[in-house]
Amino acid sequence: MATDPHLFTDRQPETSEDDSERDLHTAHQVLNMGPSHPATHGTVKFLIELDGETIVGLDIQVGYLHRGFEKECESGTWYQAIPYTDRLNYNSAILANIGYCMAVEKLLQIETPVRCQWLRTLAGELSRIADHLTRCGAACLELAAMTPFLYGIEARELTWDLLESLCGARVTSNYVRIGGVKHDMPPDVPGVARESVAKIRGLLRDFDDVITSNRIFVDRLKGTGVISREDCLRYAVTGPILRSTGEPLDVRKTEPYLVYDEIDFDVPIGEVGDNYDRYLVCVEEMHQSLRIVEQCLAHLEKLGPGPVNVLDPRVRWPAKGRVFNRMEELIQQFKSVTEGPRVPAGEGYFAIESANGELGFYLVSDGSAVPYKVRCRPPSFINVAPIPGMLKGSLLADLIPTFDFVNMIGGECDR
Amino acid sequence: MPGKVVKVRRHEKLGWLERLYVPMIVKGLVVTSRHFFRNLRGFVSGKNRTDFVVQYPEERVDYPDAFRGMPVLVQLDNGQPRCVACGLCEFACPTDCISIVPGEIEGARIERYPEVFDIDMSRCMFCGLCEEACPEEAIVMSREVEIATYDRPSMIYEKQQLLVPESLLKRRLDFLRAEYDRQHAAAGGRS
Amino acid sequence: MDDCGSPVLRRLLEALPDAVEETHARLGDATARVGRSRIVEVLQLLRDDPELEFEMLTDLTAVDYLGEEPRFEVVYHLYSVAKNHRVRIKARVAEDAPEIESAVALWPSANWMEREVWDLYGIHFRNHPDLRRILLYEQFDGHPLRKDYPKEKRQPLVGPRN
């Protein structure tokens, strides 16, 4: 495929005194990396302009996984978009579920029951752990450290098993509903969860022992992919990348949603804004998420059984036990399923803190049962944009850790 | 709001031991051998297995109660589906993978039944909205996931392939009913 | 025009009263619709005013109101880290001249998002440094998020083997 003409300067060989530059053919080389490169976990193409091994220009071409998420959402009911949000980010499907459903709830102006909010927080934090584990594990793998990757994936396996017994599926959980969650926590989950949290802590300790002060790993990360706080803000970069520059911006703290204002957790920040800081911030965030998970479990037990769905028949489908036996609920079920909630006309933007940064949903409703516009503000897409600036002048090998810790998820980036 | 901002501890200067590579290699060996021997012991003795790898076709994992596999139709004792072909699952399905043609039996206790009930498994995404929509508990998510085939036409499951006796779906039905009861109780008896 | 109790809108109305066409703060989101030709001026004020300090262009998208005139609406979501407030700025763009001034000079984050809006809605951003398609390929015909683009429409496959 032809390179873009106005991105790369056609550098003419410079004339010098002895013409050695011209004789040595020092023109820049354009290297095509991707779309399916083993060292980038994501389908993305890099066109890299190289001077020797130094990157002088970089064009990132995304869109290989574009499947029309927003167009697809505009063709079904508000409910039918929920399984599609699962497919945005394969690591943290629940967070996308929560973002979408809470945006719809904002338009509907309803408040979900307390138990539902704690359940959502629990599930969301588990997926955040899974996301960070994938990011750190895969980064180690792509820097040729296989063992920590296996420990990371083992810990992710534990979180996914936990999500499976909570939601019914490991990856495409489809758990959160408009006005509630699919079902309450099965009774065996808290016990398994406590065991898993302890095991994940152990695995994180092993992960830490093997890699954090390993000189090869540290040398590959320290000082690479540096971005300043101001650049982050200008590029609207959020999440661990922004926090690694020392700016403690976390939507969970600045605009608390769900029950985050009742939970005790810290926001880790870095100071330099390089890949090593990003790694440390992610690891610390996992420990904080584990703390949140424990608090959620304790609180859910204290809370005792209770409703997990709003009891508004215009929003949530009626309770199933009644549908089987009573005419009114049966009629209501037919009406709810064929039509779904009618969302009042208007527009709303709701943002949550996903594992990669601010995940926002901007919804426009025309008052009907079908969304008029579903816009997902994908943190992956926006965080990828400043990579060329982060890498200009550094070595080609630095692209791999930088791209890993930006953690572009193809499904979310390309939608 | 509780919680604070913490600065991560950066190893700004590695100690000379760390710069020497050797201690890290030893540390790494200790950690990996600990994992290796623990996994080996569990694997050989068969008790307290800590390795995550499952020797797949011979060994299988047990899915939790909430697990959603492929959707199937509940078969009553008389061999007929419980489905009354109301078409709610067809409506609820985001991918339009269900197609139903209703039929009628004159004079029977339950008159309506599905003449044709096809699910295109190549489009189904196991989201479970059909199960949630069904007013008859007639379509449920089974524990079956091994449905890979070599061609697309055989991914379209017809009614006879989808029918599963109620006794085999007991675990899923029990899970669903327990959840209905809990929600019913939580709502204070109201729907 | 009403500031709807939002300090951001009040400051905006004070500084540029003639640029704002409509305001609301429904559901707690301060929103202002401004004239298309004044968009850069408004955004510049929002970024540079010490009372507002919107350092971040969080999101940029468009909505197609097919059948209304002007047809498109470009939507900007801004966030201020220093002040922890948000605002939504909208500008209407007509169908026959779907053009608006680019915001890349103010926030580089607009670069990719404007490319996306161009790709999916066909709204042209003037003075954008590199307005190419981003999610779709160059040979793609049409702009798929427009309401009159049929969902089922198929496009020819392109590639080295076709």
Side-chain angles (χ1 to χ4, degrees), chain B residues 13-29:
Chain B
K13 273 268 179 285
L14 293 175
W16 67 272
L17 267 175
E18 284 165 331
R19 269 184 285 136
L20 210 57
Y21 294 107
V22 182
M24 276 314 292
I25 294 174
V26 175
K27 203 171 171 186
L29 276 174

Side-chain angles (χ1 to χ4, degrees), chain A residues 174 177 206 222 269 320 329, chain B residues 11 34-35 127 132 191:
Chain A
N174 191 21
R177 292 286 182 273
D206 289 348
K222 220 175 243 182
I269 56 164
K320 243 347 197 352
E329 273 81 1
Chain B
H11 298 259
R34 196 173 65 229
H35 273 262
C127 66
E132 247 176 281
S191 65

Side-chain angles (χ1 to χ4, degrees), chain A residues 273-346:
Chain A
D274 60 358
N275 286 321
Y276 193 52
D277 267 343
R278 263 165 246 158
Y279 165 75
L280 294 171
V281 165
C282 286
V283 170
E284 185 52 36
E285 265 181 38
M286 282 191 265
H287 286 289
Q288 297 301 330
S289 291
L290 287 172
R291 268 178 71 193
I292 301 178
V293 167
E294 282 178 333
Q295 290 176 47
C296 286
L297 289 169
H299 199 94
L300 279 167
E301 245 157 54
K302 207 174 75 193
L303 215 57
V308 291
N309 286 305
V310 289
L311 296 176
D312 188 344
R314 284 167 305 178
V315 177
R316 188 74 180 101
W317 297 358
K320 243 347 197 352
R322 286 267 168 134
V323 173
F324 300 142
N325 302 322
R326 289 168 59 108
M327 199 63 203
E328 289 77 14
E329 273 81 1
L330 183 65
I331 294 169
Q332 183 60 47
Q333 175 84 355
F334 270 81
K335 198 163 151 41
S336 307
V337 173
T338 51
E339 219 169 56
R342 281 182 180 273
V343 174

Side-chain angles (χ1 to χ4, degrees), chain B residues 60 62 71 75 87 102 140 144 149 157 177:
Chain B
R60 275 153 210 263
D62 185 33
Q75 189 180 28
V140 293
E144 186 59 54
T149 54
Y157 279 57
R177 285 173 189 158

Side-chain angles (χ1 to χ4, degrees), chain A residues 80 87 164 168 174 177 184-185 206 213 215 222 253 265-267 269 274 277 320 322 324 329 333, chain B residues 2 4 6 8 10-12 19 34-35 67-68 91-92 127 131-134 179 182 189 191:
Chain A
Q80 286 178 342
R87 274 99 183 142
E164 189 185 27
N174 191 21
R177 292 286 182 273
D184 202 343
M185 182 165 61
D206 289 348
S213 50
R215 184 175 164 189
K222 220 175 243 182
K253 288 282 187 200
F265 69 99
D266 303 336
V267 178
I269 56 164
D274 60 358
D277 267 343
K320 243 347 197 352
R322 286 267 168 134
F324 300 142
E329 273 81 1
Q333 175 84 355
Chain B
K4 55 190 185 303
V6 290
V8 291
R10 232 174 117 86
H11 298 259
E12 204 43 80
R19 269 184 285 136
R34 196 173 65 229
H35 273 262
F67 184 79
R68 298 196 305 267
F91 266 109
C127 66
E131 179 194 67
E132 247 176 281
C134 182
E179 180 55 30
R182 272 204 285 178
S191 65

Side-chain angles (χ1 to χ4, degrees), chain B:
Chain B
M1 193 181 338
K4 55 190 185 303
V5 174
V6 290
K7 196 167 250 186
V8 291
R9 200 171 57 86
R10 232 174 117 86
H11 298 259
E12 204 43 80
K13 273 268 179 285
L14 293 175
W16 67 272
L17 267 175
E18 284 165 331
R19 269 184 285 136
L20 210 57
Y21 294 107
V22 182
M24 276 314 292
I25 294 174
V26 175
K27 203 171 171 186
L29 276 174
V30 169
V31 173
T32 45
S33 349
R34 196 173 65 229
H35 273 262
F36 172 73
F37 285 111
R38 200 169 55 202
N39 290 346
L40 186 72
R41 197 185 58 213
F43 190 75
V44 170
S45 70
K47 281 181 298 210
N48 302 326
R49 286 261 309 259
T50 47
D51 56 326
F52 264 76
V53 183
V54 175
Q55 309 294 327
Y56 166 57
E58 289 84 28
E59 267 187 290
R60 275 153 210 263
V61 286
D62 185 33
Y63 305 126
D65 287 343
F67 184 79
R68 298 196 305 267
M70 70 178 241
V72 294
L73 290 174
V74 178
Q75 189 180 28
L76 296 172
D77 293 339
N78 63 6
Q80 287 299 310
R82 187 183 268 166
C83 174
V84 293
C86 68
L88 268 196
C89 48
E90 222 176 345
F91 266 109
C93 182
T95 57
D96 299 333
C97 69
I98 304 176
S99 41
I100 305 171
V101 177
E104 239 173 271
I105 313 170
E106 279 301 319
R109 197 176 72 82
I110 301 168
E111 286 175 345
R112 279 170 68 92
Y113 75 102
E115 193 115 38
V116 175
F117 195 113
D118 290 352
I119 300 183
D120 186 349
M121 288 295 171
S122 59
R123 295 171 75 173
C124 176
M125 55 176 169
F126 295 17
C127 66
L129 286 183
C130 49
E131 179 194 67
E132 247 176 281
C134 182
E136 285 289 326
E137 222 174 42
I139 182 166
V140 293
M141 310 306 279
S142 66
R143 310 174 77 70
E144 186 59 54
V145 286
E146 290 154 2
I147 54 171
T149 54
Y150 286 100
D151 53 343
R152 279 165 197 248
S154 58
M155 289 300 276
I156 298 175
Y157 279 57
E158 286 168 7
K159 189 173 84 176
Q160 283 310 317
Q161 292 165 282
L162 288 170
L163 281 174
V164 175
E166 196 176 352
S167 53
L168 295 181
L169 295 168
K170 192 169 174 309
R171 202 163 156 196
R172 180 70 187 176
L173 289 170
D174 285 350
F175 169 76
L176 292 173
R177 285 173 189 158
E179 180 55 30
Y180 304 152
D181 291 345
R182 272 204 285 178
Q183 276 186 31
H184 190 66
R190 292 184 300 126
S191 65

